[in-house]
Amino acid sequence: MTISALQKARSTYQPKLPAVFAEGKPYKLIEGEATTCVADQEKIAKLFKATYGAPQLRFETGESTTSDKTINVGVILSGGQAPGGHNVIAGLFDGLKSLNPENKLFGFLNGPGGYIANDYQEITAEFLDNYRNTGGFDIIGSGRTKLETEEHFDQGAENCKKLGINAVVIIGGDDSNTNACLLADYYKKNNVDIQVIGCPKTIDGDLKNEQIEISFGFDTACRVYSELIGNIMRDCNSSKKYWHFTRLMGRSASHIALECALQTQANICLIGEEVREKAQSLNEIVEYMANVIAKRAENGNNFGVALIPEGIVEFIPEVGVLISELNELLHHREDEFNALEDKSTKVAFVKENLSAETSAVYTSLPELIQTQLTNDRDPHGNVQVSLIETEKLMIEMVDKKLKEMKKAGTYVGKFGHQAHFFGYEGRCAAPSNFDADYCYSIGYTASALIGTGKTGYMSSVQNLTKPAIEWTAAGVPITMMMNVERRHGADKPVIQKALVLLDGAPFKHFVSKRDEWAINTDFIYPGPIQYFGPTEVCDQRSVTLELEGK
Ligand code: FBP
């Protein structure tokens, strides 16, 4: 197999570990106080009788408390790709081998579906070596099948039994870790001898809390997008003729857009959580953007960069209502809808069957967006925001608004525009040094949790603004992160999603600067991720992490 010169050089990179694991010394487990959960304590305690209330854990150098009996472990990659997944597996593998060289690691193929179907591959040292420090989840593949019914759990246990597997590591986002928690509780309650450990993954950065400082992949993905945004900024600052409307991934939370705005100082960045808090209508958002464009035009600057988080559509009150009415309609009348022949009859069907007010909102949207809103739902019946071209919606509406302003004499410029969507470009990038180290440490910590017989824990590496040697390795009971939410008409225990906090340091910093960045051309050009060189260039932390750390 031919590999790039960078991949070859990068394969020799030895990811850094927290001091407790770095020197291969024995380590011991320290148990903290019993825990509760973020909300709905009684309900969560009842739902997770076997695992609720477990103590927080951390590892320290000292007389070993780990078992050296042979362990076989299964690993699953779940959901969207995030840079560093291969290093979680590498850390897990190396950690397991350090406990006992006879330990084995099996990868279930293509996500949780492989766990149910017993599709697996043994991960050997030779096989793994091709994947160290690389992006992607292709080592074993990923998938979005949900592991949530007792039949799935029993089938998985049956498959583990055949392979002699005593522990399963689920690398996933909030939903997959919620299911890891259900799985751990189910096995413990039924005396099934399989431990379950979760690892916090998602570029969206919305699986975080006091114990999980950031999900892995966020750092690298944001660096890739910021590099591209910076390049676009230099281009538009050179030709001075386009506004670039750029949509960024993030299914729900706007962390990615916010981080990219902080890294590049874009002229406009919308934040979904603020839109919801202020109940801003689509028209108000369009007015805000048009006013910034008009103001820059007054100074002769008919160019700029606007960042739009893909999840924003669901935060705009009237569009959020439209999407949930649409989800209901297409769920309940799916067959009727699917039988319709072409796009225009589908759009007409939707217009007729929404409530009058919502139908008016739908009708006011550009035709392209009307069609996109009726596209296929995800496996849970929700609209797939990554398929809605909000950047084009905004361009069309802003263009209309600017024409009105021109007529009224309040806009003097020329609106040339380009649309971009950055998402898939960053999800499989070679992990930054931070993600390479962080992921390897998360995997290694997972092996330590397994070696000490724990279940229902998320592997947690903390103190991340400090150099890796000062990081701490910990275990957090997944139940601690749970609350009860209404999902599809039923109360469900779920890990609380971390949205952008409007009183948090990153957002506050952005607010203190955004008016300046809107009018001036204060662009920062971050350039590509650097893997080799001075530490201030290669080991930077995301601005979000730095500001939250302070
Ligand atoms: P996860 O939450 O599973 O990590 O995935 C996040 C994400 O990358 C979102 O940013 C995006 O909306 C979505 O996945 C796209 O999903 P898909 O890969 O199925 O197109």
Side-chain angles (χ1 to χ4, degrees):
M1 190 171 58
T2 314
I3 60 170
S4 70
L6 178 69
Q7 191 180 328
K8 198 169 170 193
R10 194 67 184 149
S11 66
T12 61
Y13 177 73
Q14 180 53 50
K16 301 182 201 80
L17 280 170
V20 63
F21 301 135
E23 287 158 19
K25 291 188 186 147
Y27 55 84
K28 62 180 179 198
L29 181 71
I30 311 285
E31 298 207 350
E33 301 285 306
T35 57
T36 58
C37 61
V38 283
D40 309 306
Q41 280 91 350
E42 256 175 54
K43 286 184 190 163
I44 298 294
K46 238 189 215 163
L47 288 165
F48 294 92
K49 284 206 180 78
T51 51
Y52 184 81
Q56 286 198 62
L57 310 171
R58 80 193 141 78
F59 293 97
E60 273 183 11
T61 309
E63 203 178 320
S64 173
T65 47
T66 49
S67 146
D68 58 2
K69 75 166 198 208
T70 315
I71 320 167
N72 286 352
V73 175
V75 62
I76 302 168
L77 288 164
S78 182
Q81 286 73 252
H86 290 162
N87 270 27
V88 178
I89 295 179
L92 176 63
F93 180 89
D94 292 349
L96 289 171
K97 293 288 179 188
S98 78
L99 293 172
N100 180 340
E102 297 299 313
N103 289 345
K104 281 189 179 166
L105 181 61
F106 295 91
F108 286 104
L109 302 183
N110 305 319
Y115 186 65
I116 302 163
N118 203 26
D119 286 337
Y120 67 90
Q121 144 117 45
E122 187 181 342
I123 297 175
T124 59
E126 205 186 7
F127 175 63
L128 178 63
D129 280 349
N130 296 320
Y131 294 93
R132 288 178 189 267
N133 307 309
T134 58
F137 278 6
D138 45 316
I139 184 171
I140 50 172
S142 185
R144 290 200 184 273
T145 306
K146 288 227 162 206
L147 200 57
E148 58 185 350
T149 65
E150 292 191 354
E151 289 74 47
H152 291 159
F153 299 170
D154 291 337
Q155 187 59 54
E158 197 59 32
N159 299 335
C160 286
K161 207 165 150 197
K162 287 184 209 146
L163 295 168
I165 286 179
N166 337 77
V168 180
V169 175
I170 298 180
I171 304 173
D174 51 347
D175 281 345
S176 310
N177 275 287
T178 294
N179 292 339
C181 194
L182 288 164
L183 185 67
D185 201 78
Y186 181 79
Y187 286 164
K188 195 163 179 195
K189 192 169 64 192
N190 293 294
N191 297 317
V192 177
D193 191 16
I194 302 173
Q195 300 161 243
V196 182
I197 301 296
C199 295
K201 171 234 71 166
T202 177
I203 59 161
D204 290 3
D206 57 9
L207 171 50
K208 63 175 170 183
N209 46 52
E210 273 182 32
Q211 294 77 27
I212 306 296
E213 295 175 20
I214 193 66
S215 54
F216 78 76
F218 174 79
D219 183 84
T220 309
C222 289
R223 279 185 204 291
V224 173
Y225 306 142
S226 297
E227 179 206 348
L228 298 175
I229 294 163
N231 294 350
I232 283 174
M233 286 171 159
R234 265 229 137 107
D235 191 284
C236 76
N237 199 11
S238 306
S239 65
K240 305 197 191 299
K241 63 176 182 184
Y242 292 127
W243 266 89
H244 292 263
F245 278 40
T246 303
R247 177 167 48 112
L248 290 157
M249 262 194 182
R251 226 213 80 78
S252 188
S254 307
H255 297 292
I256 293 179
L258 178 57
E259 171 66 23
C260 293
L262 293 169
Q263 284 196 29
T264 61
Q265 305 192 165
N267 306 101
I268 294 175
C269 176
L270 304 177
I271 301 294
E273 291 80 345
E274 182 183 29
V275 166
R276 182 161 72 186
E277 174 73 18
K278 296 186 174 165
Q280 285 171 329
S281 65
L282 189 52
N283 187 47
E284 283 171 315
I285 297 169
V286 168
E287 259 172 18
Y288 165 72
M289 298 176 97
N291 285 336
V292 172
I293 293 169
K295 190 94 196 129
R296 283 180 63 80
E298 270 173 32
N299 301 337
N301 295 326
N302 286 303
F303 66 92
V305 168
L307 306 182
I308 303 161
E310 69 171 2
I312 197 158
V313 279
E314 286 179 298
F315 285 105
I316 304 170
E318 73 271 26
V319 185
V321 172
L322 165 63
I323 288 174
S324 46
E325 266 194 45
L326 262 174
N327 285 346
E328 287 284 313
L329 175 68
L330 301 186
H331 175 68
H332 292 299
R333 298 177 64 181
E334 194 182 0
D335 294 341
E336 219 179 311
F337 178 79
N338 287 342
L340 297 170
E341 274 169 18
D342 55 32
K343 284 179 192 166
S344 58
T345 40
K346 287 186 172 177
V347 167
F349 173 88
V350 167
K351 285 184 186 167
E352 271 165 36
N353 289 292
L354 290 171
S355 67
E357 209 176 320
T358 307
S359 183
V361 173
Y362 183 71
T363 307
S364 73
L365 298 173
E367 272 172 32
L368 173 78
I369 305 296
Q370 289 181 7
T371 311
Q372 287 176 354
L373 281 166
T374 61
N375 279 345
D376 286 348
R377 288 7 219 173
D378 72 9
H380 315 288
N382 296 321
V383 67
Q384 299 188 60
V385 287
S386 61
L387 302 181
I388 300 177
E389 293 174 297
T390 326
E391 69 285 15
K392 293 190 181 157
L393 163 75
M394 295 295 181
I395 286 178
E396 195 166 324
M397 296 187 83
V398 166
D399 192 30
K400 208 167 142 208
K401 181 72 66 189
L402 289 171
K403 283 188 178 128
E404 288 165 18
M405 289 168 72
K406 197 163 244 177
K407 266 196 194 150
T410 50
Y411 173 57
V412 291
K414 184 172 177 299
F415 183 52
H417 47 77
Q418 297 289 341
H420 313 269
F421 169 44
F422 297 149
Y424 300 99
E425 293 81 351
R427 294 202 313 185
C428 283
S432 61
N433 282 353
F434 170 77
D435 269 329
D437 299 343
Y438 180 44
C439 289
Y440 188 75
S441 301
I442 289 175
Y444 211 98
T445 305
S447 77
L449 290 165
I450 294 168
T452 44
K454 297 297 172 188
T455 192
Y457 279 84
M458 194 180 288
S459 168
S460 163
V461 176
Q462 303 169 358
N463 213 19
L464 297 175
T465 53
K466 295 278 172 357
I469 199 81
E470 293 175 44
W471 290 353
T472 46
V476 183
I478 306 178
T479 50
M480 244 187 121
M481 305 168 198
M482 294 275 191
N483 69 167
V484 173
E485 286 175 22
R486 199 93 189 136
R487 296 271 173 100
H488 302 291
D491 279 349
K492 291 244 163 152
V494 288
I495 293 180
Q496 216 173 45
K497 210 181 248 314
L499 298 178
V500 169
L501 293 177
L502 302 186
D503 59 355
F507 181 73
K508 276 163 82 179
H509 180 67
F510 167 68
V511 170
S512 73
K513 294 284 181 190
R514 73 173 152 194
D515 291 345
E516 262 171 61
W517 295 348
I519 305 309
N520 304 333
T521 303
D522 284 340
F523 300 151
I524 293 179
Y525 312 113
I529 296 176
Q530 299 296 306
Y531 300 95
F532 308 97
T535 188
E536 67 275 17
V537 180
C538 302
D539 297 306
Q540 290 175 50
R541 302 295 186 253
S542 66
V543 185
T544 304
L545 195 62
E546 285 288 1
L547 290 171
E548 283 174 348
K550 277 180 194 154

